[in-house]
Amino acid sequence: MPEAIPLTVHDTFSRPLRDLRISVTDRCSFRCTYCMPKEIFGRDFAFLPPRELLSFEEITRLARIFLGLGIEKIRLTGGEPLLRRDLETLIGMLAPLPGLRDLTLTTNGALLAHKAEVLKAAGLNRVTVSLDSLDDSVFQSMNDVAFPVGRVLEGIDAARAAGLTPLKINMVVQRGINDGDIAAMAQRFHGTGNILRFIEYMDVGATNGWQLGDVVSAAEIIECIHRVLPLEPIQPNYSGEVASRYRYLDGGGEIGIIASVTKPFCGDCSRARLSADGRLYTCLFAADGFDLRALLRGGSTDEEITTAVRRLWSVRSDRYSEQRSEESRLRPKVEMSHIGG
Ligand code: SAM
Ligand code: SF4
Ligand code: SF4
């Protein structure tokens, strides 16, 4: 039978729905100070009980529905996605879905050395690993659980060896915390084939105490790298790519900069986010999501769920980063660990 042609849906700014990020857990083994500060996400924090998480069957059913609406990419995230038991089983269910061109995962890398091969064998295409510094004292105080750099580097090596490539490395840059490590990170991954991406620190959620002064701008990051490893800008791979790309003049590969604060890219934003408990968010900075789990568990048909998603996306007008202001920053926002990056 020929593959069904997806019926792409566009929002009020004509942005198509192309990319789905699925959070598979709200739990994490790290307590990165910019994401899950210990004072909030402490011993008493009420994480989702297992029955509230979407099952693998529910996630796969939704993924199939979203593919029917024209998405091409799925990224598994969290929390820390590798904490979800038997994640490879979910990957094995998603990978063969018709229309899926790219299945990836973002991880803190803590469990990657053990898991890389089984993830690849299950059908995962690539991984993005978060690593904010090569300096153990900086990294350990940022992850706040004293997790060593060396074990993340082992995870990166294992993922490369397993063929989860091109591998990307995410570094969130915070002024006065790890901005002194930008050049060292660039030098460490230059010529390795891994694509290092620098992320401007964002005001996601309401717990990290974000201030504009903590943001190191894309321009500053580029200048810092250019001094030691000269760079030039290159074209995006595709429309809607969030990272601006640069290549080393000496042929040592490329880097990306995700400048959501100083150069917002809402105009091309084609991403929807599904939380671990089945709420659909049309923006990283949204206050609330649409409860798809209620439809799944309430007996709705695929057609009814498709109609609900189509309706939600077609009225979407989110462009938080382009409109960021003192007032909008104070509005309630979902936590990033709840919906994923
Ligand atoms: N636990 C996984 C990890 O850290 O890779 C996946 C989830 S994490 C929320 C996804 C990405 O969001 C990570 O690369 C993380 O560094 C980034 N992130 C979290 N909080 C952020 C913030 N306030 N500003 C910018 N990036 C942030
Ligand atoms: Fe966990 Fe990732 Fe958030 Fe760090 S950024 S606390 S690893 S979810
Ligand atoms: Fe997309 Fe919202 Fe980020 Fe703008 S602020 S790029 S709409 S997720």
Side-chain angles (χ1 to χ4, degrees):
M1 219 170 62
E3 219 175 86
I5 298 168
L7 296 166
T8 305
V9 51
H10 291 84
D11 70 8
T12 59
F13 296 118
S14 303
R15 297 172 295 188
L17 172 57
R18 283 268 177 258
D19 183 342
L20 181 64
R21 296 175 181 218
I22 303 176
S23 171
V24 292
T25 176
D26 59 339
R27 289 165 202 259
C28 187
S29 48
F30 287 8
R31 287 293 177 271
C32 301
T33 48
Y34 55 75
C35 178
M36 296 181 78
K38 263 183 184 163
E39 311 80 72
I40 312 283
F41 296 89
R43 253 176 230 288
D44 301 333
F45 187 81
F47 289 103
L48 293 168
R51 66 176 182 284
E52 297 215 4
L53 299 180
L54 293 187
S55 68
F56 290 169
E57 287 71 22
E58 288 171 327
I59 293 174
T60 306
R61 183 173 169 211
L62 285 180
R64 196 187 291 278
I65 288 171
F66 276 85
L67 286 160
L69 284 164
I71 66 148
E72 295 169 344
K73 291 170 58 175
I74 292 181
R75 176 174 296 278
L76 301 178
T77 177
E80 173 45 42
L82 297 185
L83 288 184
R84 180 82 186 248
R85 192 172 303 157
D86 301 326
L87 187 73
E88 55 277 16
T89 304
L90 174 65
I91 290 169
M93 291 161 77
L94 296 175
L97 293 179
L100 182 58
R101 292 186 204 284
D102 198 17
L103 180 58
T104 68
L105 174 144
T106 304
T107 173
N108 63 21
L111 296 171
L112 198 51
H114 303 290
K115 290 264 189 173
E117 274 186 22
V118 66
L119 296 171
K120 178 68 184 177
L124 189 69
N125 299 129
R126 304 182 290 120
V127 288
T128 297
V129 182
S130 302
L131 177 62
D132 296 326
S133 177
L134 291 167
D135 178 320
D136 246 317
S137 64
V138 175
F139 184 58
Q140 294 191 15
S141 72
M142 287 180 84
N143 66 52
D144 214 9
V145 293
F147 197 87
V149 172
R151 290 198 31 215
V152 180
L153 293 175
E154 282 169 25
I156 290 172
D157 290 344
R160 274 197 75 78
L164 291 165
T165 52
L167 188 145
K168 293 182 181 162
I169 295 161
N170 278 356
M171 172 181 181
V172 176
V173 186
Q174 280 183 289
R175 191 176 303 284
I177 306 281
N178 63 341
D179 49 346
D181 303 330
I182 295 170
M185 284 284 283
Q187 283 166 319
R188 171 68 176 75
F189 294 107
H190 170 264
T192 62
N194 299 323
I195 302 171
L196 180 58
R197 302 186 325 158
F198 297 89
I199 305 181
E200 286 181 351
Y201 175 40
M202 292 185 290
D203 49 334
V204 283
T207 60
N208 62 12
W210 184 93
Q211 294 188 3
L212 190 55
D214 300 333
V215 178
V216 179
S217 70
E220 290 174 273
I221 295 169
I222 291 297
E223 200 187 304
C224 174
I225 302 168
H226 190 71
R227 259 187 255 129
V228 289
L229 289 167
L231 291 163
E232 67 179 0
I234 49 175
Q235 290 299 314
N237 284 313
Y238 53 89
S239 136
E241 189 169 34
V242 295
S244 309
R245 299 169 68 211
Y246 292 81
R247 84 173 145 225
Y248 294 117
L249 294 184
D250 67 2
E254 66 174 86
I255 60 158
I257 309 267
I258 303 179
S260 38
V261 180
T262 63
K263 269 200 220 147
F265 35 80
C266 301
D268 280 332
C269 180
S270 53
R271 289 170 292 283
R273 293 175 161 86
L274 184 65
S275 65
D277 57 351
R279 288 182 171 269
L280 188 69
Y281 293 79
T282 56
C283 178
L284 188 52
F285 297 89
D288 205 0
F290 179 82
D291 191 357
L292 286 177
R293 191 187 63 189
L295 299 189
L296 287 169
R297 296 189 183 173
S300 295
T301 62
D302 284 4
E303 289 67 34
E304 285 163 344
I305 297 174
T306 302
T307 303
V309 174
R310 184 176 274 288
R311 194 173 295 141
L312 189 72
W313 192 266
S314 64
V315 297
R316 173 185 190 243
S317 61
D318 304 288
R319 51 191 199 97
Y320 176 91
S321 290
E322 288 182 350
Q323 296 174 314
R324 182 179 278 109
S325 66
E326 272 307 306
E327 182 273 324
S328 66
R329 277 186 35 222
L330 298 174
R331 282 184 224 144
K333 287 177 263 146
V334 65
E335 291 300 321
M336 194 144 172
S337 55
H338 192 71
I339 55 169

